[in-house]
Amino acid sequence: MKGKSTSFDIAHLAGVSQSTVSRALRGSPLVNEETRRRIQVAVDQLNYKVDKNASNLRRMHSGTLALLLFEDPTTDESHINPFFLSMLGSITRACAKQGYDLLISFQQLSQDWHADFAESKKADGIILLGYGDYIAYRDKLDKLVAHGTCFVRWGAVLPDQPGLSIGCDNFQGGDAVARHLLEQGCRNIAFLGDASSHYPEFFERYRGYADALVQGGQIAQTALQVDAESTEHSGYEAMRTLLARKVAFDAVFAASDLIAIGAMRALSDHGLRVPQDVAVVGFDDIAMASFVNPPLSTVVQDTRKAGEVLVESLLNLIRGQPAESVVLPATLTLRRSSERSHAVTRKAKRETTGIR
């Protein structure tokens, strides 16, 4: 047989119709096992390869998902929040497992970015990571819904949100952090991060922290909250602002690890030790969290599971199957930056024994 084999060649060799071959290659349950076996033997004998592009064209699918990243200010040239790097790997693996290609790009902040992928048919659906100010960003999501675009985003799950969101239990994470710091004997716990509807994930972390304080007989003091975005520089400046207020605090809950790392640098520059003078806890468990000095206690978001759920939910939307927003659990991981009770005990021992 000369040239590239076709599905008609497979049909002739297997003794079936070309439409039966097509159904078998799509995995249709309408083809019985004996017929499927004969077709597979013919496929192997002719070394037949499915033309993925032609198949996708017939089904009006691209076989590709788009991952659009929000461009963040970073200390390197990546402009990608470090938290999203591990999620990027899990999304890529999940797509490969489902037989989809992944197209990765930064979100274009032009007026019509929401229509770019939908109209060009570059991808069957969109995964959105990051968004900056949610109030300003929401209009983009509304336009995606109006356009009929299949999309899912990583972020806070809100009651009136446009489209689907997959996110972690930010309230639970904030609650766990505050309870831990109270158990360490801390009573004046500061919060660094924007606690407003503009940043709903940070706001939920703040609400969890504030609720735990009330349950522990404390209150969230206005003077101990400073707005900060998720960068080291913002965390550094937020801590400087807090120190300038001259209010007593013995612990800090930072709404992200990047904020926490910047805050720890400012504390060090001010002559304060972590955790002896101030306990610090972050949120995200980015790669560098365990390598700073002291290693940073933080709330872990399961990025592996998140990537899988994002892809599965988007494919369900594309296939017209049921899909809903999902809240994943958060887990507090403890490291030396918040072990204040142990640090205080060691300090007292040194003072009574003269050990340095």
Side-chain angles (χ1 to χ4, degrees):
M1 184 177 296
K2 296 182 179 180
K4 184 178 179 181
S5 58
T6 69
S7 59
F8 289 98
D9 299 323
I10 302 297
H12 177 75
L13 189 59
V16 298
S17 67
Q18 188 273 340
S19 59
T20 299
V21 171
S22 296
R23 282 194 291 270
L25 294 178
R26 292 199 307 268
S28 171
L30 298 177
V31 181
N32 65 53
E33 287 304 316
E34 173 58 26
T35 302
R36 193 186 308 277
R37 186 192 64 78
R38 294 207 321 270
I39 291 173
Q40 187 59 53
V41 169
V43 166
D44 294 340
Q45 185 175 340
L46 295 175
N47 194 28
Y48 176 79
K49 302 296 183 183
V50 176
D51 188 335
K52 185 176 179 181
N53 290 331
S55 176
N56 287 336
L57 182 61
R58 287 192 298 271
R59 291 181 295 157
M60 297 302 291
H61 285 175
S62 68
T64 300
L65 301 182
L67 173 62
L68 303 187
L69 288 152
F70 188 81
E71 197 166 1
D72 278 306
T74 59
T75 55
D76 58 19
E77 293 300 316
S78 71
H79 299 292
I80 299 175
N81 186 320
F83 169 71
F84 289 134
L85 292 177
S86 58
M87 192 178 292
L88 176 59
S90 65
I91 290 172
T92 303
R93 287 189 294 272
C95 284
K97 186 176 179 181
Q98 295 284 350
Y100 270 75
D101 295 325
L102 185 65
L103 178 64
I104 302 173
S105 179
F106 282 116
Q107 297 180 33
Q108 300 302 310
L109 299 183
S110 64
Q111 184 178 357
D112 296 325
W113 75 264
H114 61 281
D116 289 347
F117 284 86
E119 293 184 351
S120 67
K121 305 298 182 184
K122 291 179 181 178
D124 300 330
I126 302 173
I127 297 173
L128 300 169
L129 297 184
Y131 51 85
D133 185 329
Y134 178 75
I135 301 300
Y137 189 75
R138 180 181 168 129
D139 181 59
K140 309 287 187 182
L141 302 178
D142 286 328
K143 289 179 179 178
L144 284 174
V145 172
H147 202 272
T149 305
C150 292
F151 74 95
V152 62
R153 71 181 184 91
W154 173 261
V157 176
L158 304 172
D160 61 344
Q161 67 186 18
L164 295 187
S165 291
I166 311 299
C168 92
D169 194 332
N170 293 290
F171 185 95
Q172 173 205 3
D175 178 271
V177 170
R179 289 180 184 275
H180 163 65
L181 291 172
L182 289 171
E183 290 170 358
Q184 294 296 299
C186 302
R187 291 297 177 265
N188 298 298
I189 305 171
F191 180 88
L192 303 185
D194 192 312
S196 75
S197 56
H198 288 271
Y199 294 85
E201 289 168 292
F202 284 9
F203 193 23
E204 281 298 293
R205 294 166 196 179
Y206 176 81
R207 289 182 60 249
Y209 141 92
D211 185 72
L213 290 185
V214 171
Q215 297 298 321
Q218 307 295 317
I219 61 170
Q221 302 177 47
T222 303
L224 292 181
Q225 187 272 321
V226 182
D227 287 348
E229 297 179 354
S230 192
T231 67
E232 297 99 320
H233 177 74
S234 186
Y236 184 89
E237 292 301 323
M239 177 52 68
R240 290 186 61 188
T241 297
L242 180 62
L243 290 166
R245 291 178 181 175
K246 305 294 184 182
V247 291
F249 65 95
D250 51 14
V252 171
F253 172 28
S256 77
D257 288 347
L258 293 176
I259 294 173
I261 291 169
M264 289 168 65
R265 174 65 180 272
L267 287 168
S268 177
D269 288 352
H270 199 74
L272 295 172
R273 299 165 298 169
V274 176
Q276 292 92 332
D277 301 314
V278 180
V280 178
V281 181
F283 206 109
D284 288 338
D285 195 30
I286 61 175
M288 71 178 77
S290 60
F291 290 97
V292 294
N293 186 28
L296 179 64
S297 292
T298 186
V299 176
V300 179
Q301 303 187 72
D302 190 343
T303 55
R304 181 192 62 79
K305 183 65 175 177
E308 293 174 355
V309 175
L310 282 165
V311 172
E312 289 171 3
S313 299
L314 181 56
L315 291 180
N316 284 340
L317 286 176
I318 292 169
R319 295 164 180 166
Q321 299 173 352
E324 59 184 7
S325 295
V326 177
V327 177
L328 302 174
T331 305
L332 178 61
T333 291
L334 300 179
R335 301 188 180 107
R336 285 197 295 114
S337 71
S338 67
E339 293 180 337
R340 189 167 183 270
S341 59
H342 300 295
V344 170
T345 299
R346 289 194 295 269
K347 178 181 178 183
K349 182 177 180 179
R350 287 196 300 269
E351 291 175 347
T352 56
T353 62
I355 297 174
R356 298 295 178 188

